Amino acid sequence: MSHAEFPASHTPLAAPVQGEPYLLTPGPLTTSRATKEAMLRDWGSWDADFNRVTAEIRQQLLAMAGVADDSYACVPLQGSGTFSVEAALATAIPRDGKALILMNGAYGQRAAKTLDYLGRAHIALDKGDYLPPQPDEVDALLRAHPEVTTVFLVHCETSSGILNPLRELAAVVKAHGKRLIVDAMSSFGAVPLTVDEVPFDVLVSSANKCIEGIPGFGFVIIRRDLLEESAGRAHSLSLDLLEQWRYMERTGQWRFTPPTHSVVAFHAALEQHAAEGGVQGRLARYTRNRDVLVAGMRELGFETLLEDRWLSPIITTFFSPEHPAFEFKRFYDELKARQFVIYPGKLTQAESFRIGCIGQIDEPIVRQLLRAIAESLQAMGVTLEKTAA
Ligand SMILES: *Cc1c(COP(=O)(O)O)cnc(C)c1O
């Protein structure tokens, strides 16, 4: 395969392969040309060069989380992000422990379902589709349920796009002396999250979100003493995080066949992440994408699900217009014909759709998207009343 198949881009960011759409989805997402090119080579899973790549990734992820000593371990695990969440829950919650799940969307619900499979007791604070859990509510629940050992929180609930008040909630959890598991899947790498500011015990994320790699593995950053005390707790051979870590520490290799191409692509993506200015650089670009998107969509007459203060720089939910000619499937197809793939909504009540701000997307591409949306509405015969801002 020659590099000529990846055409030069028309913006400072690499365009997707010619004719293919931009993925405005929260992972898989549009990756850079350099990240795609990193996959043009095959790697032996036992090879020293590949092991070095794995070691560097683990070290860089710990640094991104602000870990400066060996108090935390980084354990990569094959599979999508959910596999890592499941492994983390099984590792961090004792079999006779009890979890409090802070729930405001699909990923909190998935954690509860996972605990049902694992046979771990749990209670939930369920805020519905999009309201943030409040620190005083969590405080009251932990007072009423002193038997809770562990609190689980989704940082950015990707199903609505809300950025939950992690810092305030973490402070309450720690004031009660409980353990905190953060699903930072869709935020890590773009929203600052370091141990000195957020005293988490476990953080879970994956390759194909804000670090802009391709799917294939997730990773768990976990307090080492918590990991080491988990011996015998795992319910699953392949999801045994402690064994995965021990094997990697001992041999430098993954315990079972690693997603080699995904790993080297992630290594390249991390290099670009650093070159962009790390977490702050990425946050700035995604925030700009979000601001241009939201302003442009409001200008077209769309409304956001969330108030401005809860909007994440990751993904935004818009209500589907009431207009009789608006149909999501048709809107999707019109946009795809114009090289943009968006995401259906995940609300239980209202009709909605979502647009991601992450991946190799920048302001000129967002402006191009806004033009494509205006054209699509016109093609569908949908006219919108502009809402007063
Ligand atoms: C993407 C995501 C996950 C993991 O989903 P997979 O489909 O298994 O990769 C978990 N939590 C959140 C908040 C996510 O955005």
PDB file of all heavy atoms in Angstrom, residues 88 96 105 133 149 169 214 251 258 366 384 388:
ATOM      1  N   ALA A  88     -12.230  -3.501  35.538  1.00  0.00           N
ATOM      2  CA  ALA A  88     -11.958  -2.575  36.640  1.00  0.00           C
ATOM      3  C   ALA A  88     -12.966  -2.766  37.772  1.00  0.00           C
ATOM      4  O   ALA A  88     -12.593  -2.779  38.954  1.00  0.00           O
ATOM      5  CB  ALA A  88     -11.990  -1.135  36.138  1.00  0.00           C
ATOM      6  N   ASP A  96     -17.711  -8.948  48.509  1.00  0.00           N
ATOM      7  CA  ASP A  96     -18.711  -8.574  49.516  1.00  0.00           C
ATOM      8  C   ASP A  96     -18.838  -7.057  49.657  1.00  0.00           C
ATOM      9  O   ASP A  96     -19.397  -6.555  50.616  1.00  0.00           O
ATOM     10  CB  ASP A  96     -18.366  -9.212  50.867  1.00  0.00           C
ATOM     11  CG  ASP A  96     -16.996  -8.760  51.373  1.00  0.00           C
ATOM     12  OD1 ASP A  96     -16.287  -8.026  50.634  1.00  0.00           O
ATOM     13  OD2 ASP A  96     -16.624  -9.125  52.501  1.00  0.00           O
ATOM     14  N   GLY A 105     -27.273   8.375  32.429  1.00  0.00           N
ATOM     15  CA  GLY A 105     -27.229   8.017  31.022  1.00  0.00           C
ATOM     16  C   GLY A 105     -26.817   6.568  30.829  1.00  0.00           C
ATOM     17  O   GLY A 105     -26.726   5.786  31.781  1.00  0.00           O
ATOM     18  N   PRO A 133     -25.457  14.490  38.823  1.00  0.00           N
ATOM     19  CA  PRO A 133     -25.553  14.142  40.242  1.00  0.00           C
ATOM     20  C   PRO A 133     -24.977  15.293  41.062  1.00  0.00           C
ATOM     21  O   PRO A 133     -23.946  15.855  40.694  1.00  0.00           O
ATOM     22  CB  PRO A 133     -24.678  12.887  40.374  1.00  0.00           C
ATOM     23  CG  PRO A 133     -24.040  12.657  39.064  1.00  0.00           C
ATOM     24  CD  PRO A 133     -24.466  13.707  38.101  1.00  0.00           C
ATOM     25  N   THR A 149     -18.843   0.648  49.566  1.00  0.00           N
ATOM     26  CA  THR A 149     -17.372   0.650  49.578  1.00  0.00           C
ATOM     27  C   THR A 149     -16.799   1.504  48.464  1.00  0.00           C
ATOM     28  O   THR A 149     -15.687   2.019  48.565  1.00  0.00           O
ATOM     29  CB  THR A 149     -16.833  -0.786  49.404  1.00  0.00           C
ATOM     30  OG1 THR A 149     -17.444  -1.360  48.222  1.00  0.00           O
ATOM     31  CG2 THR A 149     -17.147  -1.655  50.606  1.00  0.00           C
ATOM     32  N   LEU A 169     -17.662  15.968  43.235  1.00  0.00           N
ATOM     33  CA  LEU A 169     -18.160  14.649  43.635  1.00  0.00           C
ATOM     34  C   LEU A 169     -17.037  13.814  44.242  1.00  0.00           C
ATOM     35  O   LEU A 169     -17.239  13.114  45.241  1.00  0.00           O
ATOM     36  CB  LEU A 169     -18.781  13.935  42.424  1.00  0.00           C
ATOM     37  CG  LEU A 169     -20.082  14.586  41.901  1.00  0.00           C
ATOM     38  CD1 LEU A 169     -20.457  14.022  40.540  1.00  0.00           C
ATOM     39  CD2 LEU A 169     -21.230  14.397  42.896  1.00  0.00           C
ATOM     40  N   ILE A 214      -7.199   4.143  17.227  1.00  0.00           N
ATOM     41  CA  ILE A 214      -8.259   3.313  16.651  1.00  0.00           C
ATOM     42  C   ILE A 214      -8.728   2.312  17.716  1.00  0.00           C
ATOM     43  O   ILE A 214      -8.025   2.055  18.695  1.00  0.00           O
ATOM     44  CB  ILE A 214      -7.794   2.585  15.366  1.00  0.00           C
ATOM     45  CG1 ILE A 214      -6.742   1.514  15.691  1.00  0.00           C
ATOM     46  CG2 ILE A 214      -7.251   3.579  14.335  1.00  0.00           C
ATOM     47  CD1 ILE A 214      -6.763   0.344  14.740  1.00  0.00           C
ATOM     48  N   THR A 251       7.074  -9.873  31.770  1.00  0.00           N
ATOM     49  CA  THR A 251       7.572 -10.204  30.434  1.00  0.00           C
ATOM     50  C   THR A 251       7.631  -9.015  29.478  1.00  0.00           C
ATOM     51  O   THR A 251       8.251  -9.111  28.422  1.00  0.00           O
ATOM     52  CB  THR A 251       6.656 -11.255  29.772  1.00  0.00           C
ATOM     53  OG1 THR A 251       5.375 -10.641  29.545  1.00  0.00           O
ATOM     54  CG2 THR A 251       6.468 -12.482  30.654  1.00  0.00           C
ATOM     55  N   PRO A 258      -2.038  -9.324  21.461  1.00  0.00           N
ATOM     56  CA  PRO A 258      -2.395  -7.905  21.539  1.00  0.00           C
ATOM     57  C   PRO A 258      -2.937  -7.394  20.193  1.00  0.00           C
ATOM     58  O   PRO A 258      -2.622  -7.954  19.152  1.00  0.00           O
ATOM     59  CB  PRO A 258      -1.061  -7.236  21.854  1.00  0.00           C
ATOM     60  CG  PRO A 258      -0.021  -8.160  21.319  1.00  0.00           C
ATOM     61  CD  PRO A 258      -0.592  -9.553  21.350  1.00  0.00           C
ATOM     62  N   VAL A 366     -15.642  22.095  10.976  1.00  0.00           N
ATOM     63  CA  VAL A 366     -16.939  22.329  11.622  1.00  0.00           C
ATOM     64  C   VAL A 366     -17.760  23.315  10.792  1.00  0.00           C
ATOM     65  O   VAL A 366     -18.969  23.144  10.617  1.00  0.00           O
ATOM     66  CB  VAL A 366     -16.760  22.844  13.073  1.00  0.00           C
ATOM     67  CG1 VAL A 366     -18.117  23.176  13.698  1.00  0.00           C
ATOM     68  CG2 VAL A 366     -16.044  21.796  13.921  1.00  0.00           C
ATOM     69  N   LEU A 384     -36.545  26.125   9.734  1.00  0.00           N
ATOM     70  CA  LEU A 384     -36.590  26.226  11.201  1.00  0.00           C
ATOM     71  C   LEU A 384     -36.776  27.668  11.638  1.00  0.00           C
ATOM     72  O   LEU A 384     -36.189  28.580  11.062  1.00  0.00           O
ATOM     73  CB  LEU A 384     -35.302  25.666  11.805  1.00  0.00           C
ATOM     74  CG  LEU A 384     -35.006  24.184  11.505  1.00  0.00           C
ATOM     75  CD1 LEU A 384     -33.695  23.793  12.154  1.00  0.00           C
ATOM     76  CD2 LEU A 384     -36.140  23.300  11.999  1.00  0.00           C
ATOM     77  N   ALA A 388     -34.628  32.685  19.869  1.00  0.00           N
ATOM     78  CA  ALA A 388     -33.906  33.824  20.419  1.00  0.00           C
ATOM     79  C   ALA A 388     -32.859  33.332  21.399  1.00  0.00           C
ATOM     80  O   ALA A 388     -33.166  32.510  22.266  1.00  0.00           O
ATOM     81  CB  ALA A 388     -34.873  34.772  21.119  1.00  0.00           C
TER      82      ALA A 388
END
